[in-house]
Amino acid sequence: MNVLLAEVAQATQRLADAGVPSPRFDAEELAAWVHGVSRGELHRVADADFDARYWEAVARREAREPLQHITGRAFFRYLELHVGAGVFVPRPETESVVGWAIDAVRAMDVAEPLIVDLCTGSGAIALALAQEVPRSRVHAVELDEAALVWARKNVEGSRVTLHQGDARTALSELDGQVDLVISNPPYIPLTEWEHVAPEARDHDPQIALFSGEDGLDVIRGLERTAHRLLRPGGVVVIEHADTQGGQVPWIFTEDRGWADAADHPDLNNRPRFATARREVP
């Protein structure tokens, strides 16, 4: 075993002892990042090329700093995004939310679909939709200035139009015209603070995590925004916590102008996002 692989084995144990959920993956990813290779090429790094900065990176991860903040990158569907302090790190669960949205937009048979991503954070959702629905026109809204710094980096050169604003009042110029509204909003109840993983609780911005006593305050506001923005027959897609299955569709009720409200599972078969269609008069 070469030096680097031996160090990775030690780092894996240290990260496991610290409670890191995926110690082997993270130890390998940090080694690959420090040495400028892919994880599959770690065995090719010569002993003489071992970089001691690896242990600085491991110590940061051991302290539960997010892996993506250390490397400065996050992978989401087919994207590599810039992330760091001040922006919510996109999660794998959200990839299935976006997958459903892409299928829904394609099924609309609209030549140039108009899409709005509310609470965009890093811009991950908006960029994935722009990339995978080639003729779409995508607008992304973010309130927090720190998150916008990262979103601006990520959307540069893309077809995403980024707006700073409150998701509850933004984009009035698009009222009644939008085909799809999508959001991964804050949805953690304030009462759950102590149960949140340190990576999120101590490093993700609080504005991107918590939303009132039951976690649904922002989603209640987004329901009105989505109804305002969508054309009749347009669709809203909202991510929520797996413990909120069944609660969110009840926000999108018929008496508020919605049809077909439903919950959908993620890849682990846990309720992960709700969808509804704006009623056609």
Side-chain angles (χ1 to χ4, degrees):
M1 182 184 290
N2 70 14
V3 168
L4 181 55
L5 293 182
E7 301 290 302
V8 166
Q10 285 187 48
T12 299
Q13 188 58 56
R14 272 179 56 176
L15 295 181
D17 292 344
V20 171
S22 50
R24 180 81 196 183
F25 175 89
D26 290 20
E28 291 179 352
E29 185 70 15
L30 290 171
W33 171 68
V34 167
H35 293 89
V37 298
S38 70
R39 284 172 55 225
E41 296 171 327
L42 292 175
H43 65 284
R44 296 182 180 174
V45 176
D47 291 355
D49 293 332
F50 174 74
D51 191 329
R53 287 178 298 177
Y54 176 55
W55 286 108
E56 295 173 20
V58 169
R60 290 171 67 183
R61 187 68 188 103
E62 195 174 18
R64 304 299 291 274
E65 184 175 347
L67 172 70
Q68 298 87 347
H69 282 195
I70 300 168
T71 64
R73 64 190 185 191
F75 298 96
F76 185 81
R77 291 184 71 86
Y78 304 105
L79 302 166
E80 182 176 332
L81 301 161
H82 301 288
V83 295
V87 71
F88 181 81
V89 174
R91 306 305 202 256
E93 304 86 69
T94 306
E95 295 192 15
S96 58
V97 183
V98 173
W100 190 97
I102 289 167
D103 290 342
V105 172
R106 288 174 177 164
M108 289 175 184
D109 197 27
V110 175
E112 296 182 348
L114 182 57
I115 297 170
V116 171
D117 173 24
L118 300 171
C119 310
T120 196
S122 67
I125 291 175
L127 285 162
L129 284 157
Q131 183 184 65
E132 296 181 59
V133 186
R135 298 188 65 186
S136 57
R137 296 164 294 153
V138 182
H139 294 262
V141 178
E142 176 55 51
L143 177 63
D144 186 60
E145 185 59 54
L148 275 164
V149 170
W150 296 100
R152 289 188 187 108
K153 279 186 185 180
N154 288 320
V155 307
E156 189 176 352
S158 75
R159 291 183 299 102
V160 173
T161 304
L162 185 62
H163 307 263
Q164 181 170 17
D166 188 322
R168 294 168 295 185
T169 56
L171 301 178
S172 58
E173 66 274 17
L174 299 181
D175 284 359
Q177 303 172 54
V178 178
D179 296 295
L180 178 100
V181 170
I182 186 168
S183 181
N184 179 15
Y187 51 66
I188 300 174
L190 287 168
T191 53
E192 295 293 308
W193 188 88
E194 64 191 43
H195 303 297
V196 177
E199 287 87 347
R201 187 187 64 221
D202 301 336
H203 296 279
D204 281 327
Q206 304 288 294
I207 193 174
L209 297 177
F210 299 102
S211 182
E213 288 300 309
D214 65 357
L216 299 176
D217 283 3
V218 172
I219 292 178
R220 292 188 187 97
L222 294 185
E223 179 269 328
R224 285 292 84 194
T225 303
H227 194 272
R228 168 173 63 79
L229 288 171
L230 288 170
R231 61 166 173 80
V235 172
V236 61
V237 185
I238 303 274
E239 182 171 335
H240 58 69
D242 56 9
T243 55
Q244 293 164 335
Q247 297 176 58
V248 178
W250 283 103
I251 295 172
F252 295 84
T253 54
E254 288 185 18
D255 64 341
R256 296 180 74 83
W258 298 100
D260 307 325
D263 245 331
H264 304 266
D266 60 20
L267 296 176
N268 296 314
N269 213 30
R270 295 175 178 145
R272 178 58 58 189
F273 62 101
T275 63
R277 188 177 302 277
R278 184 179 169 182
E279 278 188 334
V280 178

